[in-house]
Amino acid sequence: MARSYTEFDNLTSNILKCAYDVHTKLGPGLLESAYKECLSYKLQTLGLFVEKEKAMPLIFEEVKLDCGYRIDILVEKTIVLELKSVEALNDVHTSQVLTYMRLGEFKIGYLMNFNVSSLRNGIKRYVL
């Protein structure tokens, strides 16, 4: 069953609240893995279905290739979260999120860089 816009709005609102909470409590400067574990935990405490390091196979024609692509966090089997802790986001990070969205046919994705003083400056939303 397809999700309504209201369900997506509520889901993305909860994701962003959790991300801001994690960033507020931990601050910038940690490894990506620390933010991933804490954000996953926060999302799960809300009762959301969370998959960490979700394998994303590449299907080319009739061949399924296990190339080692992994989504950092997939929420409710619908929203891709790609987390970073880098000096600055660049085009390859954007391409990564968009590729995961396209391969998995996901409509919404977030690229989150936790290595910023204000998380507002580290979040990019993508919609296909």
Side-chain angles (χ1 to χ4, degrees):
M1 183 173 143
R3 290 184 180 268
S4 70
Y5 289 115
T6 302
E7 288 175 307
F8 272 121
D9 284 346
N10 290 337
L11 187 53
T12 57
S13 177
N14 283 328
I15 289 168
L16 292 174
K17 285 177 189 174
C18 289
Y20 281 112
D21 187 46
V22 167
H23 189 266
T24 298
K25 290 178 179 170
L26 297 179
L30 301 176
L31 294 174
E32 175 187 312
S33 58
Y35 300 111
K36 186 183 325 172
E37 291 300 320
C38 293
L39 182 55
S40 296
Y41 168 77
K42 289 291 290 183
L43 294 168
Q44 288 171 342
T45 63
L46 295 178
L48 298 174
F49 181 69
V50 174
E51 296 172 89
K52 292 184 295 185
E53 297 293 324
K54 171 75 175 165
M56 178 72 5
L58 173 64
I59 299 173
F60 180 76
E61 296 178 357
E62 291 86 35
V63 179
K64 181 178 176 182
L65 306 168
D66 292 319
C67 298
Y69 295 117
R70 297 195 178 279
I71 297 171
D72 283 339
I73 300 174
L74 184 63
V75 182
E76 292 288 312
K77 298 186 179 193
T78 58
I79 299 180
V80 173
L81 304 182
E82 187 61 30
L83 279 53
K84 301 294 178 194
S85 183
V86 294
E87 194 67 33
L89 294 173
N90 60 45
D91 291 343
V92 73
H93 299 129
T94 298
S95 296
Q96 186 178 15
V97 174
L98 293 174
T99 297
Y100 291 155
M101 292 171 66
R102 185 176 44 80
L103 290 175
E105 298 180 358
F106 304 115
K107 303 274 186 252
I108 299 175
Y110 283 92
L111 177 57
M112 300 180 171
N113 182 16
F114 282 84
N115 195 32
V116 291
S117 57
S118 173
L119 189 58
R120 179 178 300 143
N121 300 324
I123 295 179
K124 293 186 178 188
R125 177 183 168 135
Y126 301 93
V127 179
L128 293 180

